[in-house]
Amino acid sequence: MKKIILLVVVTLLAAICYAQSQGAKTLVLEKNEGETRVRRPHGALPTPSAEFILKVTPENSGSKHLVLGTEEIPPGGVIPKHKHLGQDEILLIQTGTAHVTLDDKEYDVHAGGTVFFPAQTWVGLKNIGTDNISLVFIFSAPGFEKNMRCGSVLAGQTAPPINTDELKACAHEGHVEYEALAPAAKK
């Protein structure tokens, strides 16, 4: 009986994995390849940089499990304090020095460092060095890339300013909450 149950469970898991992977395609992208986007200017939140590249998303690879992108953050650049509502994230710091806040703890992370934080963790980052931070961001599930697209345009297009109401709508669409945009009781 145990063997039959195990066989049924394994078969169901295999079917689920196959169904979730169906339609995904392989990608090989060089450093500057992918969906290059330019953030729309806004005053309510600091922006870490003007451009970022989305490399693996449901739209370009069919991935139902991962989102991956890259970004260069200049000295003094800031990723504002926020939390992802449904995705874990990994940051791979390739170059530079980042001051990272995770909930109420602070860390300095140097080139080659890794930062992992689960969903619902307040996170912020600042480039405290004199060199650009080159980083890779990886999300455990799609969602946040919708916020990134909503608040940006494709490279080469005019990036009109974005207002606070639009920022809030983008955050909602991308399953993220920004501390600066949250009601005072939630901070």
Side-chain angles (χ1 to χ4, degrees):
M1 184 64 163
K2 287 181 182 179
K3 286 184 180 182
I4 292 174
I5 292 173
L6 180 61
L7 180 61
V8 169
V9 169
V10 168
T11 303
L12 285 173
L13 288 174
I16 290 168
C17 288
Y18 174 76
Q20 290 178 336
S21 298
Q22 208 168 17
K25 63 181 181 178
T26 59
L27 287 176
V28 176
L29 299 170
E30 294 293 341
K31 180 179 180 177
N32 293 320
E33 293 179 326
E35 182 184 337
T36 302
R37 301 198 61 90
V38 177
R39 286 189 173 88
R40 295 170 59 192
H42 47 76
L45 289 175
T47 56
S49 65
E51 286 189 358
F52 59 91
I53 302 174
L54 293 173
K55 292 187 170 275
V56 176
T57 68
E59 290 81 2
N60 71 0
S61 71
S63 175
K64 292 179 177 65
H65 305 288
L66 293 173
V67 170
L68 181 140
T70 60
E71 185 162 10
E72 298 277 328
I73 301 175
V78 173
I79 295 176
K81 199 167 190 183
H82 65 285
K83 66 179 175 180
H84 302 283
L85 305 178
Q87 303 93 5
D88 299 340
E89 184 177 3
I90 296 173
L91 296 175
L92 303 172
I93 309 295
Q94 304 295 296
T95 63
T97 303
H99 185 76
V100 178
T101 303
L102 298 172
D103 286 332
D104 60 351
K105 295 183 179 170
E106 298 185 15
Y107 307 87
D108 287 342
V109 185
H110 304 88
T114 301
V115 180
F116 165 76
F117 48 97
Q120 300 293 329
T121 301
W122 285 103
V123 61
L125 179 146
K126 181 175 183 176
N127 182 344
I128 59 171
T130 56
D131 297 322
N132 282 350
I133 291 174
S134 177
L135 66 78
V136 175
F137 54 87
I138 304 167
F139 291 96
S140 61
F144 186 66
E145 80 285 0
K146 292 178 183 176
N147 173 74
M148 296 181 85
R149 282 193 181 99
C150 182
S152 65
V153 297
L154 286 170
Q157 295 180 348
T158 302
I162 187 169
N163 65 41
T164 301
D165 288 338
E166 289 174 306
L167 285 171
K168 288 179 181 179
C170 290
H172 177 75
E173 184 178 347
H175 314 285
V176 64
E177 186 175 303
Y178 288 95
E179 185 180 62
L181 299 177
K186 286 191 174 183
K187 292 183 182 177

